[in-house]
Amino acid sequence: MSTPPPSRRPIQALPDQLISQIAAGEVIERPSAVVKELLENALDASATHIAIRLEEGGVKRIAIIDNGSGIPKEDLALALQRHATSKIASLTDLENVSTLGFRGEALASIASVAHVTLTSRTADAPHAWEISNVTGKTQIVPASGTIGTTVDVQDLYLNTPARRKFLKSEQTEYGHCAEVVRRIALARPDVSFSLSHNGKTTMQWHATEIAMRSEHILGEDFAKARLALEHIAGDETNGLRLYGYVGLPTAARARGDAQYFYVNGRFVRDKLLTHAVRAAYQDVLHGDRYPSYLLQLDLNPALVDVNVHPSKIEVRFRDSRAVHQFIFHAVSRALAQTAGTSSTSHTPSATTTSPRSGTMPWIRTPQQASFGVAQTTADYGAIFSANTARTPLQPAAEAQTDEHPLGFALAQLHDIYLLAQNAHGLVMVDMHAAHERIVYEQMKQAIGESRLPVQELLIPVTFYADAIDVGTAQEHQDTLRTLGLDITALSPDTLAIRALPAMLRQAEAESLARDVLSELREIGSTQLIEERRNALLATMACHGSVRAGRTLTIAEMNALLRQMEKTERADQCNHGRPTWVQISMTDLDSLFMRGQ
Ligand code: ADP
Ligand code: MG
């Protein structure tokens, strides 16, 4: 039983200023959120040049200058009012939002917690007009200015000190603002951006296409180790289209800071989407590494709700399972390029970058709606047929006609690398990594088809084990058997290995068993084992592969090359390292400065 509040206030409509401040709390929790809203407004107004000027991490000042369509004089006062928007007028519009903004509350919210001056000029106006809330009363005065809009926001949270206290250091706030600019600049390579902080230019990108813009923003390392991807499923009303770049495992990072996902042109950080991509990388990436990617998903806006979160960073799909599966599938297929289908012109990075990367249809302006809605059918038809004719990504231009794309073995280098010759030049293989990948894929497939060949040991291998290992072996008997391992307890501190997968017969049985047990111990619950099974297989594969340092005969080397060609993902080993590289004749010629 709770005691009633001492004096209950009557229900009252909240004053507009207060409503705006409450909304502001959700929409603009920090300076970077202001930057985001203002940038989106500039893009919605078709700006092609946008300058962002920050002072003191944006807290002192955020000025955004665009060359967009401008705001007519008669709309200026409204622009600062709540729920005033030129972008939607009905519920149907709301369900088909194609502009970035639509709530009509950003400017009002910002104006409720900061000094805002809005200067704008449309193409047919002889000069600009300005409105400002700095003096308390808003009035519209003539101003000088070119076509477009400047929004100048000063002294953010001046009247809400509680929120101001939550802000981090100037540098941190600046960092968040810069990240927002990067996200938007990646979505719109056709727009020039410049960013300055405390008077110094910190970033500047000229209008270009996505291949270049992403190289500028995500760096050369990503540009060199990425796959261009484009995948379409379904028809125009229910279709899904995923396109962009996925970084090779070699471009993975220690933090998830190079992951950019856009839904209908809008940056999102959504659990479902992140999970789908992550799952696709599971086989080629170590658990503690984060893949890099830059992906856009287009779908009919009626099938996705972007209105769930005030800052619109999360979305809700009508059929989230289908979306998850589609993305998982598209990214998995991209990563599963076989060694045999890679084009073989330079290094593995170049081989896997689609030649179409520069021409990828990337930019979605607010005027073009998303998949199946306003975009012309002809446009998509072309992508559709191009795409069904071949699965994404395989660089079609360089179809491999030779039967053995990885060529024939020449020699072994320091018992670590295998050297081979193919039509394009020299192939170098990391023998251990390549073999590990083959063993892993073979075991995975065999287990999937419940036909993993098992080798019984004539003399069981026994070893000393602690109580937890013995317990683990007993508890996970079934799992061990699925993995082809028969490990039983002989005494409270002795385990015996009676069988192991035939593919691993050359492995050192005891250390294999110890590694698997310790991994099982770590995983703990039985439910998790299924999820982590591929990780277990990777551990096992490592034991079964040719160790660096073993000398192979030429016949064995050729057999390895042929197996690599047959194995999916043979060009990335389980730990995400490449397994082979191509050095073309052109590469070699340039090393020796031939023909220059
Ligand atoms: P929303 O973007 O949700 O419509 P805002 O509060 O962000 O709401 O903006 C209100 C209105 O002001 C917009 O609908 C648009 O008409 C106008 N506006 C805001 N910023 C700009 C700009 N940079 N250029 C042209 N018009 C703008
Ligand atoms: Mg807006």
Side-chain angles (χ1 to χ4, degrees), residues 229-233 240-243 326 329-330 333 387 391-392:
L229 164 162
E230 192 180 342
H231 204 76
I232 298 186
L240 296 168
R241 172 166 168 240
L242 183 74
Y243 52 104
F326 172 77
H329 199 76
R333 280 182 70 172
N387 210 57
T391 48

Side-chain angles (χ1 to χ4, degrees), residues 37-38 40-41 44 87 100-107 312:
E37 293 294 337
L38 299 183
E40 291 188 345
N41 280 347
D44 281 347
K87 298 169 193 171
L100 294 163
F102 55 84
R103 291 165 168 263
E105 63 188 15
L107 285 182
K312 305 181 223 79

Side-chain angles (χ1 to χ4, degrees), residues 103-244:
R103 291 165 168 263
E105 63 188 15
L107 285 182
S109 298
I110 297 166
S112 74
V113 291
H115 287 143
V116 176
T117 304
L118 199 61
T119 313
S120 197
R121 178 176 164 193
T122 52
D124 53 10
H127 56 77
W129 292 93
E130 191 167 288
I131 184 170
S132 159
N133 70 352
V134 179
T135 53
K137 56 173 193 277
T138 49
Q139 47 172 213
I140 297 171
V141 295
S144 65
T146 48
I147 294 166
T149 303
T150 296
V151 185
D152 194 341
V153 177
Q154 297 196 44
D155 299 315
L156 196 56
Y157 308 124
L158 76 163
N159 53 4
T160 45
R163 182 155 293 272
R164 198 167 181 141
K165 271 211 306 251
F166 277 104
L167 295 179
K168 300 279 187 283
S169 74
E170 180 178 326
Q171 212 42 44
T172 305
E173 295 304 336
Y174 166 74
H176 285 286
C177 293
E179 178 59 17
V180 161
V181 178
R182 273 194 291 270
R183 286 172 186 172
I184 288 177
L186 280 169
R188 293 297 303 274
D190 59 324
V191 175
S192 302
F193 293 87
S194 69
L195 172 66
S196 73
H197 189 212
N198 296 337
K200 275 200 217 87
T201 302
T202 47
M203 300 185 204
Q204 188 152 29
W205 302 300
H206 296 294
T208 176
E209 21 65 43
I210 187 58
M212 277 308 272
R213 177 61 59 86
S214 57
E215 176 168 347
H216 290 153
I217 298 184
L218 300 177
E220 222 178 289
D221 287 351
F222 178 73
K224 279 190 182 150
R226 68 187 179 191
L227 301 160
L229 164 162
E230 192 180 342
H231 204 76
I232 298 186
D235 58 24
E236 303 214 345
T237 12
N238 294 306
L240 296 168
R241 172 166 168 240
L242 183 74
Y243 52 104

